[in-house]
């Protein structure tokens, strides 16, 4: 029996729920994109975005999805035939690799099992072998949205440095930025790719590139034929708060508001909250006797948790039961994980009670769908959250670590 | 440590959360209240309200709180010095009684322990004694918002009839209408009082009176000096969709939408959902080893559950812990229950996962506040909701009965 | 041929168009009306309202229409049988008088021609004759919404003082407050009545009473049976930002925003803008060769202009032509003015271009409806507005004076 | 003296004002873009868009600006080195030409004076000379937003056909679609480029390509390296209502609503309304004694009117005066027209009274800025609109023709 009353629980790993404050900020008349009033908005979102990417360098904002921002990173910095090193961390890394191939790049795709992040050691070794510096870029996904596995970006940076390799470092933070700790500048990333509909808590429609000096220099002399995605065309009018073509004004209203919300909470608190909610989710999953797809505790995603279905049970059938009975959307398994995992998003404006409501829906859904599990997962998650509050918080965070 | 990120859980027994559809319907330019376009709106909400009150007779809508609708019921039908029979079911019944006294009514206030509804037998007996028919009205609160106890309106009607007493029957459905089953006409109520911010899922600002022929006749020849609240002044322009003074137009936009939502779900489904959520809440409370304030299972409220704090523990301190740690508002104990109970609202657009999130917050709060309880209340609530889904629903509903 | 595309021009003298900022402020989740967060809202709107009424004394806010605020003024201060002096300035003064009669007041209603404001001299003379001080209150409408005529409140106050008469002074500023200059305290008014949907630029649903010490004292010892409207019941919880019954929370969100907008513009600028727009409107009307209903230039309303139709032409037929052809609502003539005048509202968020668009619609409508007039009214209004800008403003304001 | 109270008049030729209905439709929670509910939305906007482009073939919708849709048209159908024929109708045609050059096309850019549309005869002659069919595409801007001049697309199609030339026909309808008559299929266009923020009355953020069979076939075998803009990648999931990457969901909510509004009004009525408003605007401009930039009455734009400033007067200074005094944005002259023209947008939800308000602001601004002109332009516009209503409409439309 289907019923879909009340508030929908959108627990996919993005788009994440848009806070009322952000929706309302967007619900205003559009303004002249060549006016002084617009320039204030433009400057506010451009400098605000730098704070979120943690960089003093430029961030460009495209009216596009995150996929467009992937493309922008490629066409500005690389040329057809360029060799690049990518890592198969999951579905989205694979899509980015396919895009790179479409643009004529010579992609070396390090295979992966979709349960681990990119291996800094392996990357370092591969680069060390590349004496001729044929590899022009290393391209890694920070948080694989399809698997709930993160890659250790700071360690990969160190590996590149240790190999004394000049390759550009391009990182996809589409689902991590604003939810998981990320430092574009301190971590020495050359191009960071992101979008609006995850940690930024906005509807889809904006793509981002944070750009290092090295990347910008590379773009000035190289890259592919481009126009829409061209950084320099963006950066010229950006300097005075404007854009080279009509920007997605109302999404920028929302962006200004969501950046304000993140800074009000404090980025450190935002990151700690996501870690805490992710830990609670894993506590539930483990209690249920189900398996978290991610196999390396150091690489657990604070953004989403992918859960492996027991053999003989279809994840999509389970998701259907949950949607119809409890008005909650969970993420599907993608391509080779289709039917085998479901994904619980716990990002953006998610808080403890929203998460516990969501986990309740998962546990109830497991029962109703007849999926074998041990009852009490929600209680296990509550226990973790309660300890967090009762115990010394700093201590606690040290323990859960991720 | 305080944190208030993410969505607020508004679990007071009203105002209840306003659905996005309703908020958005209200977020439109105001129109000319003397225009044809307005008349369509007026007719839609007036006839729609009849469906919710389950009456073919008139419903009047005031720009007021529910308190104003209480006043309207009194000043239209009763005269100073009139004897009325009221029942002390709790804080709100007491407030209505005070209002009646202020207007010079001779109130006989049947005492109560705030843990039971109005007693149909006692009312019947009292009326039977009133041979001279001095009692002009019986005034009862259907759902005592301060206690989570309902009164059995249909049975009280039968008791009045059995006593062959001509008193008017005035019923406050401020917190029940649209959440708990209620039939103005079939149950023979003369004036039903309600408001916008509970079952109607609207912001506060509208008061309602559903009126029987008998009540209307009484108003035509009696009542007190009145103007704003005068029914006949309302009913004249209402016939063509208009109002005698400027109506709260944007709240009426919202009312049109909320009525549509209730009818889309079906009133029977709305009522069953509330019963189910209330039963789940009580399952949690009982598991925690706490006491539900309401002592008669036949009178459990589908709208809210008032929970008695263990001796030595302050309910308001507990509520503070919950608000600061989990961004959830619970209802306070009022007047003689202050500090002794807290109230969990589960009305309006509440659904399973919202409720389970809320109950999780209560259970976590009990731990953090050091209130003795048995862990596992949320699991007990889940069990009940799961059974509901797995078992034959009709059968199940028969069992929980309330 | 009917077409109603594009933005509706709501040019009735209230409800006035609600600015987007105000609508959006209201379009937010309702909060617990007993929370600390609410108390901040409550204090903000209560103290903000004092600034708009220009008083250091209390302002109470009812969930009601302005009609309710009329009733509150009466039932708090006067007793059945009390003699009051009212002035027939138009339809709304007449309605207020009828209300007073309903509550048993002995109303002396000074007749008027609906084309002039209340006469300070006549009021002073009448009070001087009342040696026994039988008259308990003088009740005047500041801006007659039905006629576009203001009454000179400060002068009436002086007349009362000159007569050394102790009567309370009750003033209806329903359509003037926030648009026309008004000073509750400096002008010695005892009760000022107002509402949300005119100068406050909000949807209907809030009624206001600003209260002098003298009025409050009178209420403590007198007045009529009352509950909902009782000032003292309001003022007790208001002291800490709360209300005695559920307030219209979302309208209060809007009120906070609209007060902020008025103070940002500056009340003096708000008043000057309304005067300027009204002068421009009259310039158009005079050029058309039509008659402004108000006959005393000192009493021209800055809020609306009522225009007399030439004999043989029906104002409502004209308004219909305008609505159907130009998607604009104009105000109807009321009761004895029905069909004889139409009213142009130019209040609230109205600005020059909105007004000129509206006047264009009137001029076009006159042509299409075949109403004799001299073309060029819009041009005349533009001339006045242009002069205002080109000339020395201060000088100009001195000239137009009203 | 600056004042910016009341509603802003956004009279630039796009983004156009977003109707409240559309803004509110967008102000809703984002949904799972892989859900059945989303598929309904996707199908609705895809099939609805076909009605607006007047085609039975596919329309693809990108999360992008119109500039992105330009790029999509190029990279799907053309290859580096391909010869294309473009026409210099103004600033935007020049930008599109620059983009084409960036992508390595061999652009033959027929020069123009920015005061006429593309010449069908000249295009026909040029194609006739191209015996080898070296020209792969003819690329024309339907409505030059920088000049207010339209090109006669149907006639150009006939010229191509008469020359028996196989070139693809690519047309930019960025500012015309949904405002000026346009028939993708009947007029034999191969790729029609458009966007959300003009006739669709949406905020910026969506780009469109309507695609003929011939264009699609060309894309399958040719075009440039591409990913984000690839039609086939879009069309596969579009068939079931989905998108290959996260779509701009909330803009799609708005698109569904704006298409509904256009179809409710009727496309013919939409086009007639724009013609009427444009004719009224030109009547004003001509009366002022100013020059309309467009020199061929057959090519007047129904979307905007560019007005030539008298020598010695700066258009941007004038626009500043208008913005500061009357809270209205007008469009600037671009590149070689900078300072020499201003542009009045009269598109989207514009109606008679909004336009007359806007023209009043222009006329007042001319006075205040000291720009020589003959007063009475607004009256001239009113005369035209009045005649339209009074006279036989069909007849009138025949006369104004454009």
């Amino acid at each position: 029996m289907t019923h879909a009353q009340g508030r929908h629980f959108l627990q996919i790993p993005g788009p994440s729920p848009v806070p009322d404050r952000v929706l309302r900020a967007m619900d205003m008349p559009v303004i002249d994109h060549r006016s002084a009033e617009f320039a204030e908005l433009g400057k506010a979102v451009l400098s605000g975005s730098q704070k979120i990417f943690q960089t003093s360098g430029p961030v460009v904002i495209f009216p596009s999805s995150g996929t467009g921002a992937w493309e922008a990173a490629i066409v500005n910095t690389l040329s057809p035939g360029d060799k690049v090193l990518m890592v198969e961390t999951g579905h989205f890394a694979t899509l980015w690799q396919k895009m790179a191939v479409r643009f004529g790049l010579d992609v070396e795709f390090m295979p992966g099992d979709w349960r681990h992040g990119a291996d800094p050691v392996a990357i370092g070794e591969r680069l060390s072998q590349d004496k001729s510096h044929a590899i022009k870029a290393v391209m890694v996904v920070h948080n694989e949205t399809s698997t709930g596995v993160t890659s250790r970006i700071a360690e990969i940076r160190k590996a590149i440095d240790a190999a004394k390799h000049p390759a550009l470092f391009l990182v996809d933070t589409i689902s991590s930025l604003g939810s998981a700790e990320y430092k574009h500048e301190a971590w020495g990333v050359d191009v960071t790719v992101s979008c609006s509909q995850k940690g930024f808590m906005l509807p889809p429609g904006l793509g981002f590139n944070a750009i290092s000096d090295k990347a910008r220099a590379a773009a000035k002399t190289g890259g592919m034929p481009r126009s829409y995605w061209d950084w320099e065309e963006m950066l010229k009018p950006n300097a005075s708060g404007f854009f080279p073509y009509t920007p997605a004004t109302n999404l920028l209203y929302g962006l200004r508001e969501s950046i304000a919300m993140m800074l009000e909470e404090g980025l450190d608190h935002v990151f700690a909250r996501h870690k805490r909610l992710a830990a609670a989710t894993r506590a539930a999953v483990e209690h249920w006797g189900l398996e978290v797809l991610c196999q390396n505790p150091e690489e657990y995603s604070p953004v989403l948790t992918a859960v492996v279905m027991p053999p003989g049970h279809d994840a999509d059938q389970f998701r259907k039961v949950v949607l119809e009975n409890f008005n909650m959307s969970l993420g599907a398994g993608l391509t080779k994980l289709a039917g085998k995992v479901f994904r619980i998003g716990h990002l953006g404006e998610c808080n403890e009670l929203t998460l516990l409501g969501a986990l309740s829906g998962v546990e109830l859904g497991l029962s109703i769908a007849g999926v074998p599990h041990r009852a009490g997962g929600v209680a296990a998650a509550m226990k973790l959250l309660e300890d967090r509050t009762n115990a010394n918080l700093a201590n606690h965070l040290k323990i859960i670590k991720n």
Side-chain angles (χ1 to χ4, degrees), chain A:
Chain A
M1 148 212 17
T2 300
H3 59 95
Q5 261 52 53
R7 178 156 283 272
H8 182 72
F9 275 63
L10 183 71
Q11 301 296 141
I12 57 175
S16 69
V18 182
D20 288 307
R21 267 178 69 178
V22 175
L23 269 182
R24 232 58 83 237
M26 292 176 53
D27 184 24
M28 288 296 280
V30 69
I31 55 172
D32 180 2
H33 56 296
R34 302 179 197 269
S35 66
E37 187 184 354
F38 184 88
E40 277 180 44
L41 170 67
K43 286 176 189 167
V45 296
L46 290 165
S47 68
S49 296
Q50 290 177 305
K51 295 195 180 92
I52 306 303
F53 282 89
Q54 304 201 27
T55 181
S56 61
V59 175
V60 296
I61 307 175
F62 298 104
S64 78
S65 75
T67 301
W70 270 354
E71 185 160 318
I74 289 173
V75 299
N76 275 284
T77 59
L78 297 164
S79 303
D82 277 355
K83 187 171 190 64
V84 298
L85 183 64
M86 300 183 81
V87 186
E88 185 203 356
T89 49
H91 173 70
F92 290 100
T94 307
L95 285 184
W96 200 15
Q97 172 257 352
K98 283 186 183 159
M99 177 187 275
V101 170
R102 276 175 164 259
F103 281 105
L105 300 184
D106 173 12
V107 182
E108 181 170 328
F109 200 37
M110 299 180 77
D113 66 357
W114 293 35
R115 306 191 70 166
H116 292 83
D119 181 358
V121 175
I123 290 170
E125 285 172 1
R126 180 63 192 86
L127 293 177
S128 297
Q129 294 160 7
D130 180 37
K131 303 297 184 198
S132 66
H133 296 170
I135 294 171
K136 298 302 175 202
V138 176
M139 298 165 68
V140 175
V141 174
H142 180 212
N143 183 73
E144 243 302 341
T145 319
S146 63
T147 63
V149 181
T150 58
S151 286
R152 288 159 284 155
I153 300 305
E155 294 183 35
I156 296 172
R157 173 76 262 169
K158 281 178 198 151
I160 299 172
D161 290 347
K164 296 190 164 46
H165 198 286
L168 290 168
F169 188 21
L170 278 49
V171 178
D172 163 347
T173 65
I174 282 179
S175 59
S176 58
L177 193 87
S179 300
E181 186 178 58
Y182 186 79
K183 302 181 176 188
H184 174 83
E185 191 163 289
W187 290 357
V189 178
D190 291 304
V191 188
T192 299
V193 170
S194 202
C195 71
S196 53
Q197 74 269 21
K198 314 270 181 168
F200 275 121
M201 306 177 291
L202 285 165
L206 297 179
F208 297 81
N209 278 179
I211 306 165
S212 73
D213 288 348
K214 184 173 160 189
R216 189 170 177 185
K220 280 185 179 162
T221 58
M224 303 187 192
R226 63 190 180 270
S227 174
Y228 191 76
W229 309 116
D230 190 76
W231 291 342
E232 289 304 317
E233 291 294 308
M234 269 286 182
L235 291 169
K236 268 175 272 172
N238 277 185
S240 46
F242 294 107
F243 288 81
Y245 40 78
T246 315
T249 305
N250 293 47
L251 284 164
L252 298 182
Y253 295 158
L255 178 59
R256 177 165 54 184
E257 190 73 14
S258 75
I259 291 172
M261 288 176 73
M262 285 191 270
L263 298 179
E264 282 168 21
E265 183 176 356
L267 283 184
D268 285 351
H269 287 95
V270 170
F271 301 150
R273 173 165 54 84
H274 281 81
K275 274 188 168 178
R276 194 164 67 233
L277 298 177
T281 303
R282 291 191 304 273
V285 173
E286 283 155 24
H287 185 94
W288 291 326
L290 299 181
E291 201 180 348
V292 170
L293 184 67
C294 178
Q295 290 192 315
N296 181 356
E298 284 189 280
E299 295 173 341
Y300 284 145
S301 168
V303 170
L304 78 145
T305 302
V307 182
V308 182
M309 286 299 277
H313 291 273
D314 181 66
D316 291 336
Q317 178 55 28
F318 163 71
R319 291 171 51 249
K320 192 165 178 284
V321 163
V322 169
L323 178 61
E324 290 183 353
N325 282 278
F326 300 108
N327 199 11
M328 173 163 65
S329 297
L330 296 168
L334 297 170
T335 48
K336 77 179 205 185
L337 295 174
K340 295 181 182 158
V341 308
F342 64 91
R343 296 173 295 149
I344 305 170
H346 32 70
L347 70 161
E349 79 153 355
C350 196
N351 61 9
E352 284 83 354
L353 302 196
T354 301
L355 180 74
L356 291 168
L359 295 177
S360 299
V362 172
E363 186 163 335
L364 285 169
L366 291 169
S367 285
I368 293 168
V371 180
H373 70 287
R374 183 160 59 120
V378 174
M382 287 169 63
K383 188 81 182 69
L384 186 137
L385 292 169
E386 177 194 328
D387 289 349
R388 188 268 320 166
T389 310
N390 277 326
N392 179 289
L393 180 68
N395 199 30
H396 174 70
L397 287 177
K398 200 173 61 188
I399 293 162
I400 64 169
K401 227 173 133 187
N402 203 23

